Amino acid sequence: QYERMLAQLAGEQRMPRTWENGALKLVPITDWTTGFFPGSLWYLFEATDDATWRDAARTYTARLEEVKRNRRTHDVGFILFCSYGNGWRLMREPAYREVLLEGAASLSTRYNPAVGGIKSWNGQKQWAFPVIVDNLMNLELLTWAARESGDLNFHNIAVTHASTTLRNHFRDDGSSYHVLNYDPETGHVLGRHTHQGAADESAWARGQAWGPYGYTMMHRET
């Protein structure tokens, strides 16, 4: 499947995201899914020790370097840690480490101490300071950066965000809200909503999965 994908991507600068209506959907590097393809290539190299996968992983990882400066989304963790994170883990190239550390610094700029959380999206006029449960998946970049750099601010932001989410995102039955809207000045919860689920009070399946993944990872990291 990945050999076919690479062949179809020849000469294309965008990244693969999914199939829609029988056609390959491609997206710019700012899309939240773009780290997954190079991350999968790194896993294939790890499993096979075949330099073909290593070289492809390097090529598609390198395309995402500019994301390290993106301060407009929480998905920097998704994009960079799947790609550069696996590349660093397997290759130990210093340039990969530097990209990850700069990306962690960019992600940290979205943290609001009054809220105790990292803002998820910009440009959502209906919400003052939206925090989505998906955001838990991006905290691993910060805990890694704390270990690598010795800057505990990264670690403290990750732990505080996870604690705030645990306190406010979950119902008594263990299901989770998708979006919490906070007052950025006081940190008070202004509302609990959904963006992709069936209704505000529903349990959106993919969002529900981010919780167990995120807290299993944070348990390990702490």
Side-chain angles (χ1 to χ4, degrees):
Q1 291 289 343
Y2 277 84
E3 286 171 352
R4 286 189 64 199
M5 180 73 80
L6 286 172
Q8 289 176 303
L9 291 171
E12 176 60 62
Q13 292 303 307
R14 292 174 296 169
M15 303 290 280
R17 172 166 171 156
T18 188
W19 287 87
E20 285 186 356
N21 301 318
L24 181 61
K25 180 178 180 180
L26 302 173
V27 290
I29 64 169
T30 51
D31 187 87
W32 72 276
T33 64
T34 53
F36 300 151
F37 182 62
S40 297
L41 296 173
W42 283 119
Y43 282 135
L44 287 170
F45 168 60
E46 183 177 20
T48 64
D49 202 30
D50 184 337
T52 301
W53 299 119
R54 180 200 63 204
D55 295 344
R58 281 177 165 160
T59 296
Y60 284 91
T61 293
R63 293 186 181 184
L64 303 179
E65 182 178 356
E66 285 304 307
V67 176
K68 69 186 180 183
R69 300 187 181 94
N70 189 348
R71 299 185 174 191
R72 297 182 55 79
T73 177
H74 70 113
D75 289 317
V76 170
F78 259 145
I79 299 168
L80 292 184
F81 210 60
C82 293
S83 55
Y84 280 91
N86 279 304
W88 165 253
R89 181 175 62 85
L90 295 172
M91 306 304 297
R92 284 297 192 266
E93 293 188 12
Y96 287 4
R97 180 180 181 273
E98 294 308 309
V99 168
L100 291 166
L101 289 175
E102 187 169 347
S106 295
L107 178 58
S108 296
T109 66
R110 302 186 63 76
Y111 177 74
N112 181 317
V115 172
I118 298 167
K119 187 177 183 181
S120 296
W121 299 316
N122 291 3
Q124 300 286 338
K125 295 182 180 179
Q126 69 270 41
W127 298 315
F129 193 96
V131 176
I132 60 177
V133 69
D134 322 31
N135 218 338
L136 293 168
M137 304 287 286
N138 293 293
L139 301 182
E140 190 173 9
L141 174 61
L142 297 179
T143 57
W144 172 89
R147 288 195 306 274
E148 283 294 316
S149 68
D151 185 348
L152 292 181
N153 186 52
F154 292 130
H155 179 87
N156 293 337
I157 288 174
V159 171
T160 303
H161 181 97
S163 298
T164 300
T165 301
L166 189 61
R167 184 168 61 251
N168 295 324
H169 257 81
F170 293 88
R171 306 182 183 94
D172 290 341
D173 66 359
S175 64
S176 62
Y177 290 94
H178 182 199
V179 185
L180 258 71
N181 183 28
Y182 289 92
D183 184 324
E185 301 298 327
T186 67
H188 293 157
V189 176
L190 299 175
R192 292 174 168 86
H193 311 279
T194 193
H195 182 60
Q196 292 172 287
D200 289 348
E201 292 297 327
S202 70
W204 174 52
R206 177 152 53 102
Q208 188 68 32
W210 296 149
Y213 187 108
Y215 287 109
T216 301
M217 178 270 294
M218 286 303 293
H219 175 75
R220 183 192 72 220
E221 294 295 294
T222 57

